Amino acid sequence: MEFEIVAWNEKYRDSTAECFDAAWRNAISKNPKLSFYREALDEHLDTIKQLQSKSEDEAFFLAIFQEVFVGTVQIFFDSDQAFVDNVAVHPLAQRKGVCRTLLERVKHEARSRGYEFITLDTFEVNQRAVKTYFSMN
């Protein structure tokens, strides 16, 4: 699968929310242990829909395949570390390298800003994500 990684901007707001929503609703439907995340998902979608232009303390990247948004990732920067958040890959694009490529992009962004440490949290029950993240160090 050939896809392009682009920096987020306001024109992508609705597409970003749709991709994030599809990815997480699919994960929740496949794994009942993630059902507790439904309410937080709705809140997060509201946050995405209100995103403005990026600030200096964050970066948001999208994966695009044939003009369709297939993945998102956001990284926040504080004084001593970078924190990866909001990783989502559309169900139709999963297991095709989208997540890994997005994470490599935020890793590059953090390194270019001088950060040595990158933190990423996920739910333990999300074993596919856990395996991917550990395989990348």
Side-chain angles (χ1 to χ4, degrees), residues 65-116:
F65 174 70
Q66 296 180 349
E67 299 183 25
V68 175
F69 293 87
V70 295
T72 70
V73 66
Q74 191 169 14
I75 186 167
F76 296 94
F77 304 98
D78 68 16
S79 60
D80 62 346
Q81 70 176 355
F83 178 77
V84 175
D85 196 17
N86 305 327
V87 180
V89 176
H90 193 282
L92 298 176
Q94 291 177 357
R95 305 187 72 76
K96 296 183 177 17
V98 175
C99 178
R100 186 173 299 277
T101 303
L102 284 166
L103 291 174
E104 287 295 335
R105 180 63 184 92
V106 294
K107 192 163 120 178
H108 173 76
E109 182 72 18
R111 298 289 187 247
S112 72
R113 293 182 184 214
Y115 288 86
E116 293 182 37

Side-chain angles (χ1 to χ4, degrees), residues 1 6-7 18 20 31-32 39 45 62 86 99 108-109 111 115 130:
M1 173 180 255
V6 299
E18 290 167 13
F20 192 86
N31 189 340
E39 187 175 316
L45 285 171
L62 306 169
N86 305 327
C99 178
H108 173 76
E109 182 72 18
R111 298 289 187 247
Y115 288 86
V130 170

